[in-house]
């Protein structure tokens, strides 16, 4: 996400405090896909303590996710790795408004929109993800969960 300074005094604009709007207006659905493809899919390498809710990387199995654009899973699947896989899924991400946008503990990494104008239509989000799924290969559509192995659909 791009964080541009507003002026030489380094004052933060509303967009810098929560750059969802700047990021989405600049990159649109490509930005959502880029973010969701990588967010919490790799382990954090920072050694010092920091707030895991405001980090791009996972810290335990509780916030670990798979890339939903390479491995097909749905936000209501029973074998999700974590709650993060449900709320940061393309069909769920930014489809609801955050209850505390001005004091959100997740900051710019919140799965919910911090402005009404950023709320994505749930039906459109489903159609976009389903369109992506129709272009995936069968091998990518197979679920894979480390503890369960690979899911192979019955033929």
């Amino acid at each position: 996400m791009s964080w541009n300074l507003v002026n030489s005094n380094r004052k933060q604009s509303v967009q810098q405090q929560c750059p969802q709007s700047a990021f989405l207006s600049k990159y649109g659905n490509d930005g959502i896909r880029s973010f969701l493809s990588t967010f919490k899919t790799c382990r954090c390498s920072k050694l010092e303590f920091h707030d895991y809710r405001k980090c791009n990387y996972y810290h335990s199995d509780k916030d670990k996710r798979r890339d939903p654009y390479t491995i097909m899973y749905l936000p209501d699947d029973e074998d999700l790795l974590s709650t993060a896989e449900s709320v940061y899924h393309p069909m769920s991400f930014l489809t609801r408004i955050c209850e505390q946008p001005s004091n959100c503990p997740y900051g710019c990494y919140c799965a919910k929109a911090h402005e009404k104008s950023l709320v994505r239509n749930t039906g459109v989000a489903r159609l976009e993800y389903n369109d992506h799924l129709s272009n995936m290969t069968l091998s990518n559509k197979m679920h894979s969960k480390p503890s369960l192995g690979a899911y192979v659909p019955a033929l």
Side-chain angles (χ1 to χ4, degrees), residues 3-153:
W3 293 56
N4 296 320
L5 293 175
V6 174
N7 60 34
S8 61
N9 292 333
R10 297 180 157 296
K11 291 182 181 178
Q12 290 185 329
S13 71
V14 172
Q15 287 184 343
Q16 284 179 298
Q17 293 167 7
C18 185
Q20 286 178 333
S21 60
F23 184 72
L24 293 176
S25 64
K26 184 173 182 179
Y27 300 107
N29 286 334
D30 289 338
I32 290 172
R33 182 174 176 164
S34 176
F35 175 74
L36 294 178
S37 292
T38 59
F39 184 68
K40 300 225 182 253
T41 59
C42 296
R43 181 172 288 286
C44 183
S45 61
K46 288 185 181 180
L47 299 176
E48 68 276 359
F49 176 78
H50 60 284
D51 190 345
Y52 75 94
R53 296 172 297 185
K54 296 179 180 176
C55 182
N56 211 29
Y57 304 98
Y58 73 85
H59 298 83
S60 72
D61 288 344
K62 291 183 180 183
D63 67 339
K64 184 178 182 179
R65 316 177 40 250
R66 297 167 288 181
D67 174 1
Y69 294 102
T70 57
I71 299 171
M72 194 278 299
Y73 64 89
L74 299 175
D76 56 355
D77 280 352
E78 292 180 12
D79 68 339
L80 294 177
L81 293 177
S82 66
T83 303
E85 281 201 321
S86 178
V87 296
Y88 291 97
H89 188 278
M91 292 170 54
S92 305
F93 185 67
L94 298 179
T95 58
R96 297 182 189 161
I97 191 85
C98 181
E99 295 82 20
Q100 46 183 320
S102 60
N103 193 26
C104 179
Y106 294 93
C108 65
Y109 295 107
C110 187
K112 297 178 181 176
H114 283 191
E115 299 173 24
K116 286 183 182 181
S117 64
L118 297 177
V119 176
R120 297 171 61 226
N121 179 290
T122 306
V124 172
R126 278 188 182 277
L127 287 173
E128 289 171 351
Y129 189 63
N130 285 336
D131 184 51
H132 168 74
L133 292 180
S134 67
N135 295 322
M136 288 178 76
T137 63
L138 179 60
S139 62
N140 285 350
K141 288 182 182 179
M142 293 179 190
H143 295 284
S144 69
K145 187 172 180 180
S147 61
L148 299 177
Y151 167 75
V152 180

